[in-house]
Amino acid sequence: MKKCHYFQILKLNSFNYEYINDAITNKLQIKRRKTMAIRNILRSGNPILRERSTEFEIDQIQTQATRQLVADMFETMEAANGQGLAAPQIGELKRVVIVRLFRDENYIDRVLFNPKIKVVGKSKLGSWEGCLSVPGFVGYVERIRRIELEFYDESAKKNLETVEGYDAVVYQHECDHFDGILYTDRMTDSRLFGFDDTTDTRELRALVKSN
C-alpha cells in the first residue's frame, strides 16, 4: 500500500537488525543485518499478482531465509515510500505481509504470517487507496470498518486481534494480494480513479455522487 505523503518517518526500522538468543547468557542479542536488498515490485498486469499464495509452515517462520525475505520487504517498501507490502508484490507467493501503522509523528512496524480476516458487522469505511503495484494512481474503495485478525508474528506466536478504522483498511488491502486481488478490483465506480498527482479526491467524489 502506498504511504500518504504527509507522514514523517522518525524511528529506525527494527527489521534492519537480527535478533539472536545467546545460549550462554540466555539474553537477546542484537546484530546488524549484513545484507538487505531492494527487490523489484511487480506492477499490475504481471500474472504473478493474480495467483494465490501458499501458507507458511510454522517451522518456516523463524528460518534465516524467512528473516531475509522480511528484511528485503522492509527495505523495498521504504525505498518505494510505501505503507505496506505483501510478499506476492515482489514475486514471492507466500502469505506474509508487512505494514507500517502511523501514530501521530511515529509509526509501528508489524509482520504478519498467514493472516486471516473475519468480517465484524456490516459498517463500511470509504477511503482513497494507492498501491505500490499500481504506481501513480489512487482509487476510492469501501471496505469493512471492523475486522477480526488472526495471524502468526515473527516469533511464530499466534495472535488474535480486533481492528477497526484505517488500520483495518490497510490490513484488508494488503491481505487481498494473497488471493490475487488488487484494490482496483474492489472499486464500485471506475470514475473514482485517477492519477495521484492530479486527482482532486473531494471534488471528484462530490461530482460523481451528484450524477
Side-chain angles (χ1 to χ4, degrees), residues 6-11 102-107:
Y6 47 82
F7 289 115
Q8 182 180 9
I9 294 175
L10 296 178
K11 81 179 185 65
F102 290 90
R103 300 291 185 264
D104 298 322
E105 294 184 340
N106 212 331
Y107 63 79

Side-chain angles (χ1 to χ4, degrees), residues 107-122:
Y107 63 79
I108 301 168
D109 282 340
R110 305 196 74 187
V111 184
L112 291 76
F113 294 92
N114 302 341
K116 292 180 174 65
I117 291 176
K118 180 181 178 181
V119 170
V120 178
K122 297 181 179 181

Side-chain angles (χ1 to χ4, degrees), residues 67-182:
R67 290 177 178 176
Q68 185 65 58
L69 171 60
V70 171
D72 288 352
M73 289 174 67
F74 271 105
E75 190 81 350
T76 302
M77 181 186 74
E78 290 179 347
N81 198 34
Q83 186 177 357
L85 188 70
Q89 291 179 272
I90 58 170
E92 302 281 352
L93 291 172
K94 299 291 290 183
R95 291 184 179 252
V96 56
V97 64
I98 62 172
V99 296
R100 178 159 287 173
L101 303 176
F102 290 90
R103 300 291 185 264
D104 298 322
E105 294 184 340
N106 212 331
Y107 63 79
I108 301 168
D109 282 340
R110 305 196 74 187
V111 184
L112 291 76
F113 294 92
N114 302 341
K116 292 180 174 65
I117 291 176
K118 180 181 178 181
V119 170
V120 178
K122 297 181 179 181
S123 178
K124 292 187 175 182
L125 175 64
S127 62
W128 290 86
E129 297 185 15
C131 182
L132 298 179
S133 291
V134 191
F137 292 91
V138 291
Y140 187 79
V141 181
E142 291 188 352
R143 296 186 186 270
I144 293 296
R145 183 182 297 271
R146 192 167 186 233
I147 61 172
E148 283 187 359
L149 183 65
E150 179 184 305
F151 66 96
Y152 290 89
D153 61 25
E154 62 272 31
S155 299
K157 178 182 177 182
K158 192 173 184 178
N159 294 261
L160 181 61
E161 301 175 355
T162 298
V163 186
E164 57 185 314
Y166 185 67
D167 287 358
V169 168
V170 173
Y171 287 124
Q172 290 173 80
H173 174 112
E174 297 303 337
C175 290
D176 268 351
H177 285 293
F178 299 138
D179 297 312
I181 300 171
L182 299 176

